[in-house]
Amino acid sequence: MMEQFLAWFPLDISLIAANFDRFLYGVWMTLNLTFLSLILGGLLAIPMAIARASRHRILNPIVWAYTYVFRGTPLLVQTYLIYYGVGQFEVIRQSWLWDPILSSAWWCALIAFTLNTAAYSTELLRGAIVDTPVGEVEAAIASGHSARGRLRRIILPSAFRRAIPAYSNEVIFMLHGSVVASTITLQDILGVGRWLNGRYYLAYEGFITAAGLYFLIVLAITFAFRAAERRYLRHLGRRAVLASAA
C-alpha cells in the first residue's frame, strides 16, 4: 500500500528525505541571517526613530534620506551593490574590511538585510512614538518626569507595545526577503531547494519543500507575536470594551 501511494504521489519523497539534512542547514542559515539582521536593525532603528519623531534639525533629514533610499529600492539590488559593487573599489579591497567582512557572502547579506530592516523599523517605530496618547505624555509631565525620563519610561515602552502587530509583519517580510541570500551563493532554505532541483533535474520538489518550511516558520512567528500581543496589549482590548459600553 505504501509503495503504491509513493508511486502515485507527485513528489519524490525519498529524495527529499535523503537530503533533508541540507534543508535543516538551510533553515539554520535563514534563521541566523533573518534574526541577526532584525536584532541589529532594531538597535539601529531606535535612535533613528527618536531623531525622526523629535524632528531633530540635523539628524532628521539625514535619517529621512536613509530610510527613503532603503525603502525605495529592492533588497535584491541593495544586496548586489554590497556583494558585487564594493569590491570594484581598490581602496576597499586594500582595507581591513575586505578580507574578513566584505569578501564574505554571509557578511554582505547580513549588512544588506540589517540596513534594509532598520529603515522599515525606523519608520514603524517613529509612527508609534508620534501616536503616543497625549494623556500618557501629560501624566508623565505632571508627575515631574524630565524629557529624557518621559522618553525612556513612558513613550518608548508604550511605542514598543503598540508596534508589536505591525512589527510582526516586518519580521515575516524580512524572512521572505532573506531568499535573496540564495542569489549570492548562500545555502539558505530556497538555495537548498534550488540545489535539489538542479542536482536531480526535478521540477518542484525542492521549491515545495522550501515553501513548506517557510510556512512552518511563519506559523511559529505568528503564534509568538499573538502571544506577545495578548500579554502586552491586553489593556487596549479592555479600553475598547469600555469605550463601546459607554
Side-chain angles (χ1 to χ4, degrees):
M1 180 68 70
M2 181 59 67
E3 293 179 356
Q4 292 177 352
F5 173 76
L6 293 176
W8 168 85
F9 198 67
L11 297 180
D12 193 335
I13 301 298
S14 61
L15 280 180
I16 296 174
N19 294 277
F20 200 70
D21 58 332
R22 289 180 176 268
F23 280 103
L24 293 179
Y25 175 80
V27 169
W28 178 87
M29 176 66 72
T30 295
L31 295 180
N32 194 329
L33 280 172
T34 300
F35 287 104
L36 271 179
S37 63
L38 287 168
I39 292 170
L40 296 175
L43 293 176
L44 289 175
I46 294 172
M48 291 193 293
I50 294 172
R52 288 278 287 128
S54 63
R55 297 187 178 276
H56 192 279
R57 186 170 59 88
I58 298 175
L59 296 178
N60 182 42
I62 296 175
V63 176
W64 176 87
Y66 161 74
T67 59
Y68 188 84
V69 169
F70 277 88
R71 293 168 71 216
T73 55
L75 178 58
L76 179 64
V77 174
Q78 297 163 16
T79 306
Y80 276 12
L81 286 176
I82 294 174
Y83 182 65
Y84 296 111
V86 296
Q88 305 300 316
F89 299 97
E90 183 67 24
V91 63
I92 293 180
R93 291 200 303 271
Q94 297 301 326
S95 70
W96 61 272
L97 289 172
W98 176 250
D99 188 29
I101 298 176
L102 295 177
S103 61
S104 165
W106 187 88
W107 277 105
C108 288
L110 180 63
I111 293 170
F113 294 177
T114 298
L115 294 177
N116 182 272
T117 191
Y120 283 94
S121 299
T122 295
E123 289 302 310
L124 188 154
L125 185 56
R126 179 199 66 82
I129 292 174
V130 170
D131 291 338
T132 300
V134 177
E136 294 183 8
V137 178
E138 292 177 346
I141 295 174
S143 61
H145 284 81
S146 64
R148 182 173 296 181
R150 291 196 300 271
L151 181 67
R152 180 173 58 87
R153 302 182 65 180
I154 305 298
I155 297 175
L156 279 182
S158 175
F160 288 151
R161 289 194 298 269
R162 286 179 287 103
I164 289 175
Y167 189 67
S168 66
N169 291 328
E170 170 58 19
V171 173
I172 293 173
F173 290 153
M174 193 67 248
L175 174 69
H176 290 165
S178 68
V179 299
V180 169
S182 66
T183 66
I184 57 171
T185 72
L186 293 176
Q187 290 290 293
D188 65 342
I189 297 175
L190 180 61
V192 175
R194 294 170 61 183
W195 171 86
L196 184 70
N197 285 355
R199 173 70 181 274
Y200 297 102
Y201 303 100
L202 303 172
Y204 42 76
E205 276 84 347
F207 293 144
I208 290 180
T209 305
L213 291 172
Y214 281 116
F215 175 82
L216 292 176
I217 295 172
V218 169
L219 195 63
I221 291 172
T222 302
F223 278 124
F225 273 96
R226 292 294 178 270
E229 289 178 31
R230 287 194 297 271
R231 177 173 181 179
Y232 295 108
L233 299 179
R234 188 179 306 166
H235 63 289
L236 297 181
R238 294 173 181 171
R239 184 182 303 173
V241 171
L242 292 175
S244 62

